[in-house]
Amino acid sequence: GESVGLHLPTLSVQEGDNSIINCAYSNSASDYFIWYKQESGKGPQFIIDIRSNMDKRQGQRVTVLLNKTVKHLSLQIAATQPGDSAVYFCAENMNAGGTSYGKLTFGQGTILTVHP
Amino acid sequence: NAGVTQTPKFRVLKTGQSMTLLCAQDMNHEYMYWYRQDPGMGLRLIHYSVGEGTTAKGEVPDGYNVSRLKKQNFLLGLESAAPSQTSVYFCASSYLAGRPEQFFGPGTRLTVL
């Protein structure tokens, strides 16, 4: 796969542990946040999203927390499995007058490695 | 449904050559996007389209052109390739601006020598 992991933050966990991946976003006008997972050699895959009027949203084994005061987003993965090993990106959508056309600004990414 | 597909998967060009990357989606999505991904820099938006016949510039449009003649296809052109355009290119599509989840293709790895 492509070497997209150079100089990215990394997180190593043991199988079964919980993982927390953090993201600082830049624009206080962003109204929508998305987490993506990218496995080696593949395109990003949607995990979970959250609107700016929420502070927590849960999915299957994943939880996203949003702290607008400090412009911080986190992704929690419960009972992490080797198949969760990937690069994780946060993305924000700024609704500029309702016409952002779904444009996303992506963070740099975090490499998650899960050891059996 | 195939989702979002991209052709080719790999390509090597010499400086100054031209090429076109093709993106196709079968989800009837209105919005389509082209990104490039470089090591340690995440994804950066090159151009996007909000509907058939419309295109707009993204964050890094220089050196690229796009066309959306059909709703399901979004083409990215490099008229005169440069080594700085060596990257992995991803196409994405989405249905509604109100829920900006984007669906990505598998990517095209381009090397410019």
Side-chain angles (χ1 to χ4, degrees), chain A residues 2 36 38 49 101-102 108, chain B residues 33 37 40 90 98-99 102 109:
Chain A
E2 64 270 17
Y36 282 92
Q38 187 177 26
D49 57 11
Y101 301 118
Q108 190 180 30
Chain B
Y33 313 84
Q37 185 174 40
F90 288 100
R99 184 159 189 257
Q102 294 179 15
R109 178 184 288 274

Side-chain angles (χ1 to χ4, degrees), chain B residues 40-76:
Chain B
M41 296 189 72
L43 287 93
R44 292 184 292 169
L45 183 64
I46 304 172
H47 285 281
Y48 65 100
S49 168
V50 300
E52 182 178 321
T54 71
T55 63
K57 294 180 179 180
E59 179 186 355
V60 289
D62 293 343
Y64 305 95
N65 57 74
V66 288
S67 64
R68 183 103 181 264
L69 299 180
K70 294 183 179 180
K71 185 177 183 179
Q72 63 268 34
N73 295 337
F74 195 28
L75 278 63
L76 177 71

Side-chain angles (χ1 to χ4, degrees), chain A:
Chain A
E2 64 270 17
S3 56
V4 298
L6 296 180
H7 311 302
L8 295 183
T10 60
L11 176 64
S12 292
V13 300
Q14 291 296 126
E15 181 177 3
D17 287 351
N18 296 332
S19 302
I20 300 176
I21 301 171
N22 297 303
C23 176
Y25 64 92
S26 58
N27 199 318
S28 56
S30 293
D31 64 342
Y32 214 103
F33 303 89
I34 305 176
W35 280 100
Y36 282 92
K37 172 186 180 183
Q38 187 177 26
E39 297 175 283
S40 182
K42 297 183 178 180
Q45 180 182 13
F46 172 86
I47 302 172
I48 191 169
D49 57 11
I50 187 169
R51 288 191 181 276
S52 60
N53 61 358
M54 303 170 66
D55 54 19
K56 180 179 180 179
R57 189 165 187 222
Q58 289 184 292
Q60 187 177 12
R61 282 202 306 119
V62 294
T63 301
V64 56
L65 299 178
L66 176 62
N67 185 331
K68 293 182 286 295
T69 302
V70 295
K71 292 192 284 187
H72 182 267
L73 193 66
S74 69
L75 177 71
Q76 301 178 0
I77 305 173
T80 316
Q81 303 167 1
D84 294 326
S85 294
V87 180
Y88 289 81
F89 293 95
C90 64
E92 57 182 305
N93 174 67
M94 186 183 71
N95 188 354
T99 58
S100 65
Y101 301 118
K103 289 191 293 180
L104 298 176
T105 301
F106 284 81
Q108 190 180 30
T110 296
I111 303 172
L112 174 65
T113 303
V114 183
H115 301 283

